């Protein structure tokens, strides 16, 4: 995941990373007053913000951290099960899942810390293989056309009947941009050209990372795919903020509207922290931390 962050940061020529002595990365953040939500409009309103002074000779980069109230569990954007059907999974504390059976041979597992590691892992008692759990990459497009954005109304659970950007899980063998283009075609029958990365939003609780690209329609035609009941272009003031499917979409669209009104598109990175056990439909329940923009 860090590689993805580094790559996108380079592409947007905006992030300055502070290396740790151990060779890892740490974020520089500045506190800001909370981001609050209007129950009537569903829109986020920034009460205040703080900026870092220029810390690069090449360009000024701003960095803010803002918070919103509460947190609800995000869920699979394309309705697919995030784990293999051959693996029995039980929920446990936080986002840790207990795997009881091996996905390769079906043998029972034991949970131990393998030699040279620090985390408890499920280890097959028959074949000895370790089942590692890694985050899922979700990719999608924020499609701009005639000063409007393209949204799809979900025809599947979770969040049936709510609006979302065309997005879904990245597949093996494709790049993030290729996956975003594919998902846009599958959900909106829209041919798009990716312009630039717009946002990376990590959701640690559920093990998902969203990468959203700005894109243009190659042709003005679009129509609902099998997972959508409706597709529509929305002017910024008409975006249905009270009927969005996921908090990741709420954050992305609020950041986009803010950038458009400021007349300066940016690349955004943030961590959406959600409370365990809350409903996917409660999209306003989260905190957005480590908000970096370039």
């Amino acid at each position: 995941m860090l590689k993805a962050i580094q790559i996108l940061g380079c592409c947007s020529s905006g992030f300055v990373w502070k290396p740790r002595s151990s060779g890892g990365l740490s974020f520089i953040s500045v506190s800001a007053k909370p981001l609050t939500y209007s129950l009537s409009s569903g829109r986020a309103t920034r009460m205040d913000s703080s900026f870092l002074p220029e810390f690069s000779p090449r360009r000024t980069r701003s960095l803010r951290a803002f918070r919103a109230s509460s947190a609800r569990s995000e869920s699979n954007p394309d309705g697919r099960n995030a784990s293999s059907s051959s693996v029995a999974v039980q929920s446990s504390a936080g986002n840790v899942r207990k795997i009881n059976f091996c996905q390769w041979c079906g043998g029972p597992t034991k949970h131990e810390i393998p030699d040279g590691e620090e985390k408890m892992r499920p280890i097959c008692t028959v074949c000895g293989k370790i089942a590692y759990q890694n985050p899922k990459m979700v990719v999608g497009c924020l499609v701009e056309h005639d000063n409007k954005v393209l949204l799809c109304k979900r025809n599947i659970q979770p969040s049936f009947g709510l609006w979302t950007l065309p997005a879904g899980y990245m597949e093996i063998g494709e790049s993030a941009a290729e996956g975003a283009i594919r998902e846009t075609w599958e959900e909106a029958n829209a041919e798009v050209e990716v312009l630039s990365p717009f946002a990376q939003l990590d959701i640690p609780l559920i093990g998902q990372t969203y990468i959203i690209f700005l894109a243009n329609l190659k042709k003005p035609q679009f129509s609902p795919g099998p997972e959508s009941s409706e597709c529509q272009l929305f002017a910024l003031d008409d975006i249905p903020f009270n009927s969005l499917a996921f908090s990741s979409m709420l954050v992305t669209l609020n950041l986009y509207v803010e950038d458009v009104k400021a007349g300066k598109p940016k690349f955004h990175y943030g961590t959406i922290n959600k409370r365990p056990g809350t409903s996917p439909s409660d999209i306003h329940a989260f905190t957005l931390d480590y908000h970096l923009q370039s």
Side-chain angles (χ1 to χ4, degrees), residues 1 73-83 95 97 134-139 158 167-169 200-211 246-249 269-274:
M1 184 176 72
S73 169
E74 200 86 350
S75 55
N76 302 336
D78 56 2
R80 285 176 281 178
N81 194 336
S83 60
N95 62 340
R97 296 176 297 167
N134 304 109
K136 292 284 187 179
M137 300 293 292
V138 180
V139 291
Y169 286 123
Q200 176 177 334
L201 301 170
D202 297 336
I203 313 179
L205 178 67
I206 57 171
Q208 289 183 0
T209 288
Y210 280 72
I211 299 179
F246 307 111
S247 55
S248 54
M249 301 294 105
Y269 169 78
T271 301
I272 296 176
N273 284 313
K274 307 176 74 68

Side-chain angles (χ1 to χ4, degrees), residues 93-104:
N95 62 340
V96 178
R97 296 176 297 167
K98 185 176 181 181
I99 298 177
N100 293 321
F101 299 99
C102 177
Q103 59 185 313
W104 292 280

Side-chain angles (χ1 to χ4, degrees), residues 31-294:
S31 296
K33 292 184 179 180
L35 190 76
T36 60
Y37 284 95
S38 165
L39 294 179
S40 60
S41 67
R43 292 290 302 280
T45 303
R46 191 177 309 284
M47 296 170 63
D48 191 9
S49 57
S50 301
F51 295 89
L52 285 180
E54 184 173 1
F55 52 89
S56 167
R58 291 181 298 173
R59 63 181 289 189
T60 302
R61 299 172 174 94
S62 65
L63 173 63
R64 291 180 286 178
F66 64 80
R67 302 182 71 85
S69 281
S70 54
R72 292 276 158 124
S73 169
E74 200 86 350
S75 55
N76 302 336
D78 56 2
R80 285 176 281 178
N81 194 336
S83 60
S84 171
S85 59
S86 64
V87 182
V89 178
Q90 293 180 347
S91 296
S92 58
N95 62 340
V96 178
R97 296 176 297 167
K98 185 176 181 181
I99 298 177
N100 293 321
F101 299 99
C102 177
Q103 59 185 313
W104 292 280
C105 72
T109 62
K110 59 181 179 180
H111 289 76
E112 296 180 353
I113 300 176
D115 292 341
E117 298 196 25
E118 298 178 351
K119 290 188 176 182
M120 192 81 71
R121 309 284 188 186
I123 305 170
C124 181
T125 58
V126 177
C127 69
K129 290 185 177 180
I130 302 172
Y132 290 96
Q133 299 180 63
N134 304 109
K136 292 284 187 179
M137 300 293 292
V138 180
V139 291
C141 286
L142 200 167
V143 182
E144 305 169 307
H145 184 73
D146 289 341
N147 298 315
K148 298 179 180 180
V149 296
L150 179 64
L151 298 181
C152 302
K153 182 177 285 188
R154 289 178 62 81
N155 197 36
I156 56 173
Q157 293 291 358
S159 301
F160 177 88
L162 298 177
W163 293 94
T164 181
L165 296 171
Y169 286 123
M170 182 175 164
E171 301 284 1
I172 297 294
E174 67 184 5
S175 68
E178 289 169 339
I181 292 170
R182 173 186 53 77
E183 286 290 342
T184 304
W185 172 254
E186 291 177 356
E187 297 187 7
N189 289 311
E191 293 186 47
V192 297
E193 175 188 13
V194 164
L195 302 176
S196 65
F198 175 71
Q200 176 177 334
L201 301 170
D202 297 336
I203 313 179
L205 178 67
I206 57 171
Q208 289 183 0
T209 288
Y210 280 72
I211 299 179
I212 304 297
F213 295 88
L214 290 179
N216 279 340
L217 286 173
K218 286 185 176 180
K219 302 175 183 178
Q221 292 81 26
F222 55 86
S223 61
E227 296 180 358
S228 304
S229 60
E230 187 178 345
C231 296
Q232 185 176 332
L233 287 168
F234 288 91
L236 299 191
D237 291 336
D238 297 328
I239 293 174
F241 282 98
N242 281 326
S243 301
L244 294 178
F246 307 111
S247 55
S248 54
M249 301 294 105
L250 177 66
V251 171
T252 299
L253 288 166
N254 267 305
L255 292 174
Y256 175 75
V257 170
E258 187 176 274
D259 284 1
V260 170
K261 291 185 176 180
K264 185 178 180 181
K266 301 172 184 175
F267 175 78
H268 300 267
Y269 169 78
T271 301
I272 296 176
N273 284 313
K274 307 176 74 68
R275 284 197 306 265
T278 47
S279 167
S281 62
D282 225 342
I283 65 168
H284 295 266
F286 64 89
T287 62
L288 180 60
D289 304 313
Y290 303 112
H291 177 212
L292 292 83
Q293 51 188 322
S294 61

